[in-house]
Amino acid sequence: SGPYMEEGKSHEEIFETSFAPEREAAEVEWKPVPEGVALADRPWVVDFTKMADLAGDNRTVYARTRVWSPERREALLLLGSDDGAKVWLNGERVHGVTGSRGQTDDQDRIEVVLPGGWNTLLVQVLNGSGGWSLSARFTDREGKAFGDLKVDAGEGM
């Protein structure tokens, strides 16, 4: 969903703004992530610069997906973002990082618990200028991939 911005505010300043996707009762327009935006060799990476309707500096976008776990388990959410990001799992904010940085896989290691069943992951990704991307994936606490998670991108972003 997005892009969202506030006139005259930098991406670091809009980090503190709660746009519609963060508010429970708000109506939000979600769009699917187009083909070719996720990287072919690393499908957990989304390159927002490939989406012309998002182009520009000092703005933010929200991405969401659902992840199904067959049982309750401790997990790591491995996140990378260009630039800052905020993360919610099942409606609870679990992470936030501000500033300007380039995205690399697994920059942030966030310890979470995935209850059995469907889990909703919501990520706000801020863009100051230049590159704009997100990587996110769940592993066990040692960084090994789970073989039995299912992903339902639904309406995507």
Side-chain angles (χ1 to χ4, degrees):
S1 181
Y4 297 90
M5 63 211 84
E6 287 192 354
E7 190 65 36
K9 288 193 176 182
S10 72
H11 70 288
E12 292 176 334
E13 291 170 316
I14 63 174
F15 179 85
E16 298 303 327
T17 303
S18 294
F19 293 102
E22 295 182 39
R23 299 189 300 267
E24 278 187 46
E27 287 196 30
V28 178
E29 179 184 349
W30 293 98
K31 299 173 272 190
V33 175
E35 283 190 41
V37 172
L39 302 184
D41 62 335
R42 294 177 4 252
W44 58 88
V45 179
V46 177
D47 183 353
F48 298 114
T49 62
K50 293 182 177 182
M51 299 175 67
D53 62 331
L54 298 180
D57 298 340
N58 296 312
R59 57 194 55 218
T60 191
V61 68
Y62 291 80
R64 75 173 180 188
T65 191
R66 294 184 329 141
V67 177
W68 183 85
S69 177
E71 61 190 11
R72 181 191 181 281
R73 57 176 49 145
E74 294 182 351
L76 284 177
L77 171 58
L78 301 177
L79 181 88
S81 63
D82 183 343
D83 289 300
K86 286 192 274 189
V87 181
W88 296 262
L89 182 62
N90 297 322
E92 178 185 343
R93 185 170 162 188
V94 296
H95 185 65
V97 59
T98 61
S100 297
R101 67 181 189 173
Q103 180 272 333
T104 59
D105 292 352
D106 310 344
Q107 283 169 300
D108 304 324
R109 299 169 58 90
I110 307 149
E111 293 185 3
V112 297
V113 173
L114 292 173
W118 286 106
N119 297 272
T120 301
L121 178 67
L122 175 67
V123 182
Q124 176 193 30
V125 186
L126 296 118
N127 184 44
S129 63
W132 192 8
S133 58
L134 164 69
S135 65
R137 61 192 179 112
F138 289 100
T139 67
D140 68 15
R141 293 283 170 102
E142 285 73 47
K144 296 177 190 159
F146 292 117
D148 57 357
L149 295 182
K150 296 177 185 174
V151 177
D152 173 20
E155 297 172 336
M157 57 173 290

